[in-house]
Amino acid sequence: MRSVLILILFLFFTTSYISQDSKKITKSFFPDFDIEIPSPAFKKNKGFTNYKEMMSFLDSLVKDYPNDISYRFIGSSQKGKKIPMVYIGNQTNYLAKVCYMGGLHGNEPASSEGMLFLIHNLLKEDSLRHLKENLSIAIIPMANIDGYEKQDRYAANGQDLNRDQTKFSNPESIYIKRAVNEFSPDLMVDFHEYKPYRVDFVNFGEFGVTQQYDAMFLYSGNLNVSKSIRKVTEDYFITQVKPKLDYYDLKHHNYISSKHKNNSIYFNLGSVSSRSSATSYALSNCVSILMEIRGVGLKRTSFNRRVFTTYLLANSYLNTALKNYNELKLAIKQANQFPEDIIIKYKKQKSGYTLNMIDVYENKLIPINVTLHNGLECSPVIKRKRPNYYIIESELSIVTDKLAILGLDIDTLNYDEVLEVESYKIISSKKSPVLFQGFHENIIKSEIILENKLFKKGTFIVPMNQKRSNLAVETLEPEMLSGFLRFNVIKPESINKIHRYLQNKQL
Ligand SMILES: [Zn+2]
């Protein structure tokens, strides 16, 4: 009997059509909110706002509030749909700049609908006037339009846009990164939804469990992210939003997701990887948060609740950015005082952890004991000195092109020069057996050799005293998990064309 039930539950969890809450669970844990939401999806009984509906929604707001809202297209999706970035608020005389994004994963609709809800209320609600008077706000409401139109996570070519923020294989990734960097926010929040039912969870509880959290916070524990950025994220933005969620009885936690390794399940907490937005933007020295709302696979169940949660978070973060703009600015200024060392390799703290989850059979919360790999508690394993410049030989323009997309300023040598540099020598190299985004990663170990080398006029140099220089660290050092070598942007034999300059001379 038990095995039959497990089989049924396995199918329940894995079939996307029915991998959602039972009426019992919705009623007990996620009752919907009785509020009116103005985005086009709520004018229909089924489906979500499509691209055409979003554009006419935005156009009618621009017509009604020409002084308060504008938008521009930052590029086109793979299927040729133009991606709007919406500007609201004071674009000239502001206290802080905030950028929001929704719909980077096309099957996470509360994010896009929540952005449209926010845009509407910023224009129409008098109680939000202080926000638009004092903040400069940019919003990309539907980042992955092709995916959203099909309610599919991926871009049209099947790639995950939130794993593409160092390799830039997709035009959308490039347009979005350029537009956000050009806007240069103090706070960047990327809104998502997460999947509350996972195959892994069928192993827990009586016959499986599901996540109870309406909202989960994902921010970076990457050790190259400035401590001041991490601190202001936790002490102000996360701290201030929690009581607002509590007020509506919305449950929250730091983002935790299950992973498989060697037939056992563990949980990851926090973000460390620069291929994804939370860490990528934090490395560019702005406060960066990725929000996960409980929603993937739920279709329109508890949908008002999910969209309202997104809106509430977005609203709260705007208020914090305004109220604590001094602390926000100071943290960013402190982040630009770079430390002496960079971290090449780290390990996550591992510990036991008790997670309260909903037993789907018993319809009640039960404690689940799990192994936690804590990305917010990392310790360094390999360190290197932070160079004053990276020097990149002129054949590797693919590297400097990608660094420019990441928002780095690149210079060149004005004349031929012999410089004492550190260069990399590869001591081991293999390909990952697993396919990721259509390629096999290069797993590299290198050592540093000192050499005097003649560099030609026109050789690229990357000054490391600039705001986004931590992204050069994360992409150029050969061992980095989201680096250019790891991700086949360059071949292992090309690494000897990248050098580290540690002398104090200005180039
Ligand atoms: Zn997502």
Side-chain angles (χ1 to χ4, degrees):
M1 184 59 196
R2 189 181 155 92
S3 59
V4 172
L5 260 170
I6 285 182
L7 181 67
I8 291 167
L9 281 160
F10 181 76
L11 292 170
F12 172 81
F13 275 98
T14 49
T15 312
S16 64
Y17 295 104
I18 50 169
S19 68
Q20 53 172 300
D21 295 333
S22 66
K23 288 208 165 74
K24 228 165 56 176
I25 284 181
T26 303
K27 193 162 168 253
S28 313
F29 294 97
F30 311 105
D32 215 348
F33 288 3
D34 187 14
I35 48 160
E36 214 167 287
I37 294 175
S39 83
F42 291 88
K43 305 226 161 24
K44 4 184 225 191
N45 293 324
K46 268 174 78 176
F48 305 98
T49 302
N50 62 37
Y51 177 68
K52 211 171 135 212
E53 289 166 340
M54 174 179 72
M55 291 316 302
S56 40
F57 179 80
L58 293 176
D59 284 332
S60 85
L61 291 173
V62 171
K63 191 162 151 276
D64 293 347
Y65 301 91
N67 299 325
D68 292 338
I69 175 172
S70 63
Y71 67 77
R72 74 174 177 103
F73 294 114
I74 57 173
S76 294
S77 74
Q78 291 169 34
K79 292 200 162 168
K81 298 212 165 92
K82 293 181 190 163
I83 309 162
M85 185 171 198
V86 176
Y87 300 89
I88 296 181
N90 189 333
Q91 304 297 340
T92 48
N93 186 19
Y94 46 80
L95 296 172
K97 294 177 106 176
V98 179
C99 184
Y100 285 165
M101 178 158 68
L104 189 62
H105 288 143
N107 62 338
E108 300 172 5
S111 62
S112 290
E113 308 295 340
M115 291 301 100
L116 298 180
F117 188 17
L118 176 72
I119 291 167
H120 175 277
N121 281 12
L122 280 170
L123 297 171
K124 302 209 179 207
E125 292 292 324
D126 229 28
S127 59
L128 304 186
R129 179 185 291 273
H130 63 295
L131 298 174
K132 72 174 180 210
E133 281 177 355
N134 297 298
L135 294 173
S136 164
I137 304 165
I139 302 173
I140 302 171
M142 197 183 280
N144 173 10
I145 296 165
D146 300 342
Y148 205 84
E149 296 266 81
K150 292 192 300 179
Q151 283 298 303
D152 183 46
R153 176 180 175 94
Y154 303 101
N157 61 358
Q159 292 223 346
D160 188 329
L161 298 179
N162 202 28
R163 301 289 179 270
D164 190 35
Q165 304 206 19
T166 55
K167 187 171 166 73
F168 297 112
S169 303
N170 294 275
E172 290 93 339
S173 312
I174 298 171
Y175 301 136
I176 291 165
K177 192 63 87 183
R178 279 200 185 125
V180 174
N181 282 335
E182 196 178 311
F183 181 72
S184 199
D186 303 306
L187 167 67
M188 172 76 199
V189 188
D190 184 10
F191 291 90
H192 287 246
E193 290 193 278
Y194 76 90
K195 194 168 192 238
Y197 291 88
R198 296 172 77 113
V199 180
D200 300 338
F201 297 170
V202 83
N203 298 305
F204 300 119
E206 190 67 23
F207 297 108
V209 293
T210 183
Q211 287 278 27
Q212 61 151 326
Y213 299 110
D214 290 285
M216 294 203 271
F217 315 107
L218 182 57
Y219 53 91
S220 189
N222 182 304
L223 292 173
N224 292 316
V225 168
S226 162
K227 288 193 175 69
S228 67
I229 297 272
R230 162 89 178 266
K231 189 163 165 39
V232 85
T233 306
E234 288 175 337
D235 292 358
Y236 296 96
F237 290 94
I238 306 293
T239 301
Q240 289 177 21
V241 77
K242 284 179 178 173
K244 293 175 187 165
L245 293 165
D246 294 338
Y247 179 83
Y248 291 97
D249 203 23
L250 294 162
K251 302 288 185 287
H252 50 81
H253 195 275
N254 275 336
Y255 183 63
I256 187 159
S257 67
S258 62
K259 291 274 179 302
H260 252 105
K261 200 176 185 181
N262 306 332
N263 285 331
S264 70
I265 296 160
Y266 65 93
F267 282 72
N268 259 331
L269 182 83
S271 155
V272 286
S273 176
S274 56
R275 66 188 188 183
S276 303
S277 80
T279 291
S280 174
Y281 288 108
L283 287 165
S284 75
N285 284 358
C286 69
V287 170
S288 165
I289 306 168
L290 189 150
M291 285 312 311
E292 294 278 9
I293 308 303
R294 187 180 187 278
V296 171
L298 298 188
K299 304 208 165 168
R300 288 196 45 161
T301 304
S302 315
F303 197 45
N304 288 43
R305 180 187 180 100
R306 288 150 54 198
V307 177
F308 178 76
T309 305
T310 305
Y311 168 76
L312 187 70
L313 291 156
N315 184 327
S316 172
Y317 292 145
L318 288 177
N319 275 291
T320 303
L322 179 55
K323 188 172 147 205
N324 297 107
Y325 75 92
N326 273 322
E327 289 83 358
L328 176 59
K329 293 282 183 187
L330 182 66
I332 291 170
K333 205 171 145 192
Q334 286 167 346
N336 290 320
Q337 314 279 317
F338 295 100
E340 282 190 3
D341 290 331
I342 54 177
I343 311 303
I344 305 297
K345 217 174 158 193
Y346 57 85
K347 63 170 190 283
K348 294 179 182 178
Q349 186 189 81
K350 289 175 194 160
S351 63
Y353 190 76
T354 303
L355 197 58
N356 290 317
M357 297 180 88
I358 301 165
D359 185 308
V360 293
Y361 186 71
E362 302 280 350
N363 197 35
K364 65 172 192 201
L365 283 175
I366 56 163
I368 306 286
N369 295 318
V370 302
T371 305
L372 188 68
H373 293 195
N374 192 341
L376 295 176
E377 297 293 341
C378 293
S379 50
V381 177
I382 302 176
K383 288 183 185 184
R384 278 185 192 137
K385 286 271 167 255
R386 192 175 212 279
N388 292 328
Y389 294 88
Y390 282 100
I391 299 179
I392 298 166
E393 295 180 33
S394 49
E395 303 95 287
L396 285 190
S397 59
I398 177 123
V399 165
T400 46
D401 288 349
K402 300 225 184 236
L403 289 176
I405 298 167
L406 284 165
L408 280 111
D409 293 327
I410 318 284
D411 291 336
T412 52
L413 289 180
N414 291 326
Y415 39 85
D416 292 4
E417 209 171 345
V418 175
L419 298 171
E420 185 186 310
V421 293
E422 291 185 355
S423 304
Y424 304 103
K425 190 176 152 211
I426 291 184
I427 49 180
S428 82
S429 164
K430 60 177 178 181
K431 289 268 179 192
S432 158
V434 192
L435 208 57
F436 165 73
Q437 298 266 85
F439 64 90
H440 295 277
E441 296 171 52
N442 292 312
I443 302 167
I444 300 292
K445 272 191 201 147
S446 74
E447 64 183 18
I448 297 280
I449 46 170
L450 253 184
E451 57 178 346
N452 283 299
K453 195 172 160 59
L454 173 68
F455 292 96
K456 294 272 181 206
K457 179 184 169 186
T459 298
F460 298 115
I461 54 174
V462 184
M464 292 299 287
N465 57 358
Q466 57 179 310
K467 182 173 152 77
R468 302 191 181 98
S469 54
N470 280 328
L471 285 165
V473 169
E474 288 280 329
T475 50
L476 296 179
E477 294 290 337
E479 291 85 355
M480 287 298 194
L481 296 179
S482 303
F484 293 146
L485 182 46
R486 179 97 181 187
F487 282 179
N488 290 327
V489 172
I490 56 169
K491 295 199 164 67
E493 54 270 27
S494 300
I495 196 68
N496 61 5
K497 297 186 171 59
I498 298 177
H499 312 272
R500 298 154 43 87
Y501 185 74
L502 283 88
Q503 311 300 314
N504 280 324
K505 193 174 79 161
Q506 197 167 343
L507 298 181

